[in-house]
Amino acid sequence: MYKRICLYTTPHAFMQPLTSGVAACARRVGSWQIDISFPADDSGVEHLFDGRYEGVILGYPLVPLPDNLAGTKTKVVTATWEVPKIPAVVHENRAIGRLAAEHLFECGYRNFAFYGAETQWSRDRLAGFSEFLSPRGLKLATNQSADGSFPGWV
């Protein structure tokens, strides 16, 4: 008997590794049927938790999450952001920032700038970037944008 799983994600290229990884896992397990759902918006997600799926992998933020999520039998895992009391598979953004700065340093660069967004993942990457540079006495110019635009940084 197959377990029906829904991967609720976006068709954007940055989510392709998640989709490929879930598909590879399903092939190895052999008893999963994966439905992939690409949302047009955050409305109409009740079907994810109405009992037709054994599990849902959220690769697209549902904000806010449905009120009845805690009472559902559907197992839920987030794959792009952390939600209290829900298992998550997420990036180690502080480590990503640290590794980026280390790589640029090893390439010989000594002038650094961080171009980010006012989101938690971006702040965490900035923290990791700064953690690598600060002990070396290297300065860092930053620009973080709330709306994704960066006027004056051309």
PDB file of all heavy atoms in Angstrom, residues 97-113 129 132-133 138 140:
ATOM      1  N   GLY A  97      26.845  31.982   5.482  1.00  0.00           N
ATOM      2  CA  GLY A  97      27.509  33.279   5.480  1.00  0.00           C
ATOM      3  C   GLY A  97      28.986  33.170   5.814  1.00  0.00           C
ATOM      4  O   GLY A  97      29.839  33.801   5.171  1.00  0.00           O
ATOM      5  N   ARG A  98      29.301  32.363   6.815  1.00  0.00           N
ATOM      6  CA  ARG A  98      30.691  32.172   7.225  1.00  0.00           C
ATOM      7  C   ARG A  98      31.512  31.539   6.095  1.00  0.00           C
ATOM      8  O   ARG A  98      32.622  31.990   5.794  1.00  0.00           O
ATOM      9  CB  ARG A  98      30.745  31.316   8.496  1.00  0.00           C
ATOM     10  CG  ARG A  98      32.083  31.282   9.174  1.00  0.00           C
ATOM     11  CD  ARG A  98      32.062  30.577  10.539  1.00  0.00           C
ATOM     12  NE  ARG A  98      31.341  29.315  10.546  1.00  0.00           N
ATOM     13  CZ  ARG A  98      30.109  29.125  11.062  1.00  0.00           C
ATOM     14  NH1 ARG A  98      29.461  30.125  11.622  1.00  0.00           N
ATOM     15  NH2 ARG A  98      29.552  27.944  11.036  1.00  0.00           N
ATOM     16  N   LEU A  99      30.959  30.512   5.452  1.00  0.00           N
ATOM     17  CA  LEU A  99      31.668  29.856   4.359  1.00  0.00           C
ATOM     18  C   LEU A  99      31.857  30.781   3.165  1.00  0.00           C
ATOM     19  O   LEU A  99      32.894  30.737   2.488  1.00  0.00           O
ATOM     20  CB  LEU A  99      30.916  28.588   3.934  1.00  0.00           C
ATOM     21  CG  LEU A  99      30.993  27.426   4.922  1.00  0.00           C
ATOM     22  CD1 LEU A  99      30.014  26.324   4.515  1.00  0.00           C
ATOM     23  CD2 LEU A  99      32.419  26.884   4.992  1.00  0.00           C
ATOM     24  N   ALA A 100      30.881  31.636   2.891  1.00  0.00           N
ATOM     25  CA  ALA A 100      31.008  32.588   1.783  1.00  0.00           C
ATOM     26  C   ALA A 100      32.155  33.562   2.052  1.00  0.00           C
ATOM     27  O   ALA A 100      32.986  33.818   1.173  1.00  0.00           O
ATOM     28  CB  ALA A 100      29.696  33.341   1.585  1.00  0.00           C
ATOM     29  N   ALA A 101      32.209  34.106   3.263  1.00  0.00           N
ATOM     30  CA  ALA A 101      33.288  35.033   3.602  1.00  0.00           C
ATOM     31  C   ALA A 101      34.644  34.336   3.564  1.00  0.00           C
ATOM     32  O   ALA A 101      35.626  34.896   3.046  1.00  0.00           O
ATOM     33  CB  ALA A 101      33.036  35.632   4.989  1.00  0.00           C
ATOM     34  N   GLU A 102      34.705  33.126   4.077  1.00  0.00           N
ATOM     35  CA  GLU A 102      35.959  32.372   4.066  1.00  0.00           C
ATOM     36  C   GLU A 102      36.427  32.133   2.633  1.00  0.00           C
ATOM     37  O   GLU A 102      37.615  32.303   2.314  1.00  0.00           O
ATOM     38  CB  GLU A 102      35.768  31.042   4.794  1.00  0.00           C
ATOM     39  CG  GLU A 102      37.025  30.200   4.870  1.00  0.00           C
ATOM     40  CD  GLU A 102      36.805  28.896   5.631  1.00  0.00           C
ATOM     41  OE1 GLU A 102      35.703  28.654   6.155  1.00  0.00           O
ATOM     42  OE2 GLU A 102      37.765  28.111   5.698  1.00  0.00           O
ATOM     43  N   HIS A 103      35.516  31.764   1.755  1.00  0.00           N
ATOM     44  CA  HIS A 103      35.868  31.515   0.355  1.00  0.00           C
ATOM     45  C   HIS A 103      36.420  32.788  -0.299  1.00  0.00           C
ATOM     46  O   HIS A 103      37.465  32.757  -0.969  1.00  0.00           O
ATOM     47  CB  HIS A 103      34.652  31.009  -0.417  1.00  0.00           C
ATOM     48  CG  HIS A 103      34.885  30.928  -1.885  1.00  0.00           C
ATOM     49  ND1 HIS A 103      35.690  29.974  -2.459  1.00  0.00           N
ATOM     50  CD2 HIS A 103      34.432  31.713  -2.894  1.00  0.00           C
ATOM     51  CE1 HIS A 103      35.717  30.161  -3.766  1.00  0.00           C
ATOM     52  NE2 HIS A 103      34.970  31.220  -4.052  1.00  0.00           N
ATOM     53  N   LEU A 104      35.727  33.899  -0.107  1.00  0.00           N
ATOM     54  CA  LEU A 104      36.176  35.157  -0.711  1.00  0.00           C
ATOM     55  C   LEU A 104      37.537  35.581  -0.147  1.00  0.00           C
ATOM     56  O   LEU A 104      38.407  36.060  -0.888  1.00  0.00           O
ATOM     57  CB  LEU A 104      35.125  36.248  -0.487  1.00  0.00           C
ATOM     58  CG  LEU A 104      33.798  36.009  -1.207  1.00  0.00           C
ATOM     59  CD1 LEU A 104      32.760  37.024  -0.756  1.00  0.00           C
ATOM     60  CD2 LEU A 104      33.979  36.047  -2.719  1.00  0.00           C
ATOM     61  N   PHE A 105      37.738  35.369   1.143  1.00  0.00           N
ATOM     62  CA  PHE A 105      39.017  35.676   1.786  1.00  0.00           C
ATOM     63  C   PHE A 105      40.128  34.827   1.173  1.00  0.00           C
ATOM     64  O   PHE A 105      41.205  35.330   0.849  1.00  0.00           O
ATOM     65  CB  PHE A 105      38.899  35.437   3.294  1.00  0.00           C
ATOM     66  CG  PHE A 105      40.148  35.754   4.053  1.00  0.00           C
ATOM     67  CD1 PHE A 105      40.454  37.069   4.381  1.00  0.00           C
ATOM     68  CD2 PHE A 105      41.002  34.744   4.448  1.00  0.00           C
ATOM     69  CE1 PHE A 105      41.612  37.376   5.093  1.00  0.00           C
ATOM     70  CE2 PHE A 105      42.164  35.032   5.150  1.00  0.00           C
ATOM     71  CZ  PHE A 105      42.475  36.348   5.476  1.00  0.00           C
ATOM     72  N   GLU A 106      39.857  33.521   1.023  1.00  0.00           N
ATOM     73  CA  GLU A 106      40.862  32.622   0.437  1.00  0.00           C
ATOM     74  C   GLU A 106      41.161  32.955  -1.022  1.00  0.00           C
ATOM     75  O   GLU A 106      42.238  32.650  -1.518  1.00  0.00           O
ATOM     76  CB  GLU A 106      40.408  31.170   0.583  1.00  0.00           C
ATOM     77  CG  GLU A 106      40.482  30.678   2.015  1.00  0.00           C
ATOM     78  CD  GLU A 106      39.909  29.291   2.210  1.00  0.00           C
ATOM     79  OE1 GLU A 106      39.355  28.710   1.245  1.00  0.00           O
ATOM     80  OE2 GLU A 106      40.001  28.778   3.349  1.00  0.00           O
ATOM     81  N   CYS A 107      40.207  33.598  -1.690  1.00  0.00           N
ATOM     82  CA  CYS A 107      40.431  34.040  -3.078  1.00  0.00           C
ATOM     83  C   CYS A 107      41.273  35.315  -3.137  1.00  0.00           C
ATOM     84  O   CYS A 107      41.614  35.781  -4.220  1.00  0.00           O
ATOM     85  CB  CYS A 107      39.099  34.279  -3.786  1.00  0.00           C
ATOM     86  SG  CYS A 107      38.215  32.764  -4.186  1.00  0.00           S
ATOM     87  N   GLY A 108      41.563  35.890  -1.980  1.00  0.00           N
ATOM     88  CA  GLY A 108      42.419  37.063  -1.935  1.00  0.00           C
ATOM     89  C   GLY A 108      41.691  38.383  -1.760  1.00  0.00           C
ATOM     90  O   GLY A 108      42.330  39.441  -1.709  1.00  0.00           O
ATOM     91  N   TYR A 109      40.401  38.368  -1.668  1.00  0.00           N
ATOM     92  CA  TYR A 109      39.652  39.616  -1.485  1.00  0.00           C
ATOM     93  C   TYR A 109      39.847  40.144  -0.069  1.00  0.00           C
ATOM     94  O   TYR A 109      39.899  39.380   0.904  1.00  0.00           O
ATOM     95  CB  TYR A 109      38.165  39.408  -1.762  1.00  0.00           C
ATOM     96  CG  TYR A 109      37.881  39.074  -3.199  1.00  0.00           C
ATOM     97  CD1 TYR A 109      37.618  37.763  -3.581  1.00  0.00           C
ATOM     98  CD2 TYR A 109      37.892  40.059  -4.177  1.00  0.00           C
ATOM     99  CE1 TYR A 109      37.370  37.447  -4.904  1.00  0.00           C
ATOM    100  CE2 TYR A 109      37.649  39.758  -5.506  1.00  0.00           C
ATOM    101  CZ  TYR A 109      37.385  38.442  -5.870  1.00  0.00           C
ATOM    102  OH  TYR A 109      37.146  38.133  -7.179  1.00  0.00           O
ATOM    103  N   ARG A 110      39.910  41.502   0.045  1.00  0.00           N
ATOM    104  CA  ARG A 110      40.060  42.112   1.361  1.00  0.00           C
ATOM    105  C   ARG A 110      39.059  43.252   1.583  1.00  0.00           C
ATOM    106  O   ARG A 110      39.058  43.872   2.637  1.00  0.00           O
ATOM    107  CB  ARG A 110      41.487  42.640   1.558  1.00  0.00           C
ATOM    108  CG  ARG A 110      42.546  41.525   1.539  1.00  0.00           C
ATOM    109  CD  ARG A 110      42.305  40.500   2.651  1.00  0.00           C
ATOM    110  NE  ARG A 110      43.284  39.425   2.652  1.00  0.00           N
ATOM    111  CZ  ARG A 110      43.089  38.217   2.119  1.00  0.00           C
ATOM    112  NH1 ARG A 110      41.958  37.915   1.513  1.00  0.00           N
ATOM    113  NH2 ARG A 110      44.034  37.302   2.188  1.00  0.00           N
ATOM    114  N   ASN A 111      38.215  43.517   0.605  1.00  0.00           N
ATOM    115  CA  ASN A 111      37.136  44.495   0.734  1.00  0.00           C
ATOM    116  C   ASN A 111      35.828  43.728   0.584  1.00  0.00           C
ATOM    117  O   ASN A 111      35.631  43.025  -0.407  1.00  0.00           O
ATOM    118  CB  ASN A 111      37.243  45.580  -0.341  1.00  0.00           C
ATOM    119  CG  ASN A 111      38.497  46.401  -0.169  1.00  0.00           C
ATOM    120  OD1 ASN A 111      38.716  46.976   0.882  1.00  0.00           O
ATOM    121  ND2 ASN A 111      39.329  46.439  -1.198  1.00  0.00           N
ATOM    122  N   PHE A 112      34.929  43.890   1.567  1.00  0.00           N
ATOM    123  CA  PHE A 112      33.741  43.063   1.607  1.00  0.00           C
ATOM    124  C   PHE A 112      32.471  43.894   1.749  1.00  0.00           C
ATOM    125  O   PHE A 112      32.461  44.929   2.411  1.00  0.00           O
ATOM    126  CB  PHE A 112      33.820  42.067   2.774  1.00  0.00           C
ATOM    127  CG  PHE A 112      34.951  41.104   2.638  1.00  0.00           C
ATOM    128  CD1 PHE A 112      36.207  41.414   3.148  1.00  0.00           C
ATOM    129  CD2 PHE A 112      34.772  39.899   1.987  1.00  0.00           C
ATOM    130  CE1 PHE A 112      37.259  40.531   3.009  1.00  0.00           C
ATOM    131  CE2 PHE A 112      35.822  39.005   1.849  1.00  0.00           C
ATOM    132  CZ  PHE A 112      37.070  39.326   2.356  1.00  0.00           C
ATOM    133  N   ALA A 113      31.420  43.397   1.123  1.00  0.00           N
ATOM    134  CA  ALA A 113      30.097  44.002   1.251  1.00  0.00           C
ATOM    135  C   ALA A 113      29.073  42.874   1.338  1.00  0.00           C
ATOM    136  O   ALA A 113      29.261  41.801   0.751  1.00  0.00           O
ATOM    137  CB  ALA A 113      29.790  44.894   0.058  1.00  0.00           C
ATOM    138  N   PHE A 129      28.835  35.823   8.058  1.00  0.00           N
ATOM    139  CA  PHE A 129      29.799  36.547   7.233  1.00  0.00           C
ATOM    140  C   PHE A 129      30.665  37.427   8.135  1.00  0.00           C
ATOM    141  O   PHE A 129      31.895  37.411   8.059  1.00  0.00           O
ATOM    142  CB  PHE A 129      29.020  37.396   6.217  1.00  0.00           C
ATOM    143  CG  PHE A 129      29.762  37.739   4.957  1.00  0.00           C
ATOM    144  CD1 PHE A 129      29.814  36.862   3.896  1.00  0.00           C
ATOM    145  CD2 PHE A 129      30.376  38.968   4.834  1.00  0.00           C
ATOM    146  CE1 PHE A 129      30.469  37.192   2.722  1.00  0.00           C
ATOM    147  CE2 PHE A 129      31.039  39.316   3.664  1.00  0.00           C
ATOM    148  CZ  PHE A 129      31.092  38.429   2.606  1.00  0.00           C
ATOM    149  N   PHE A 132      33.271  35.698  10.492  1.00  0.00           N
ATOM    150  CA  PHE A 132      34.538  35.315   9.890  1.00  0.00           C
ATOM    151  C   PHE A 132      35.454  36.525   9.718  1.00  0.00           C
ATOM    152  O   PHE A 132      36.663  36.452   9.961  1.00  0.00           O
ATOM    153  CB  PHE A 132      34.322  34.642   8.531  1.00  0.00           C
ATOM    154  CG  PHE A 132      35.608  34.230   7.880  1.00  0.00           C
ATOM    155  CD1 PHE A 132      36.193  33.014   8.188  1.00  0.00           C
ATOM    156  CD2 PHE A 132      36.256  35.067   6.978  1.00  0.00           C
ATOM    157  CE1 PHE A 132      37.406  32.645   7.620  1.00  0.00           C
ATOM    158  CE2 PHE A 132      37.460  34.712   6.397  1.00  0.00           C
ATOM    159  CZ  PHE A 132      38.037  33.491   6.714  1.00  0.00           C
ATOM    160  N   LEU A 133      34.887  37.654   9.301  1.00  0.00           N
ATOM    161  CA  LEU A 133      35.698  38.824   8.979  1.00  0.00           C
ATOM    162  C   LEU A 133      36.203  39.576  10.203  1.00  0.00           C
ATOM    163  O   LEU A 133      37.340  40.063  10.220  1.00  0.00           O
ATOM    164  CB  LEU A 133      34.900  39.778   8.088  1.00  0.00           C
ATOM    165  CG  LEU A 133      34.451  39.208   6.736  1.00  0.00           C
ATOM    166  CD1 LEU A 133      33.587  40.223   5.999  1.00  0.00           C
ATOM    167  CD2 LEU A 133      35.643  38.789   5.894  1.00  0.00           C
ATOM    168  N   LEU A 138      38.811  42.884   9.286  1.00  0.00           N
ATOM    169  CA  LEU A 138      38.313  43.306   7.971  1.00  0.00           C
ATOM    170  C   LEU A 138      36.977  44.006   8.115  1.00  0.00           C
ATOM    171  O   LEU A 138      36.109  43.572   8.864  1.00  0.00           O
ATOM    172  CB  LEU A 138      38.195  42.091   7.045  1.00  0.00           C
ATOM    173  CG  LEU A 138      39.530  41.395   6.769  1.00  0.00           C
ATOM    174  CD1 LEU A 138      39.306  40.042   6.119  1.00  0.00           C
ATOM    175  CD2 LEU A 138      40.403  42.279   5.890  1.00  0.00           C
ATOM    176  N   LEU A 140      33.303  45.557   6.770  1.00  0.00           N
ATOM    177  CA  LEU A 140      32.205  45.042   5.973  1.00  0.00           C
ATOM    178  C   LEU A 140      31.172  46.135   5.757  1.00  0.00           C
ATOM    179  O   LEU A 140      30.633  46.676   6.722  1.00  0.00           O
ATOM    180  CB  LEU A 140      31.565  43.843   6.698  1.00  0.00           C
ATOM    181  CG  LEU A 140      30.289  43.248   6.120  1.00  0.00           C
ATOM    182  CD1 LEU A 140      30.545  42.668   4.733  1.00  0.00           C
ATOM    183  CD2 LEU A 140      29.756  42.174   7.049  1.00  0.00           C
TER     184      LEU A 140
END
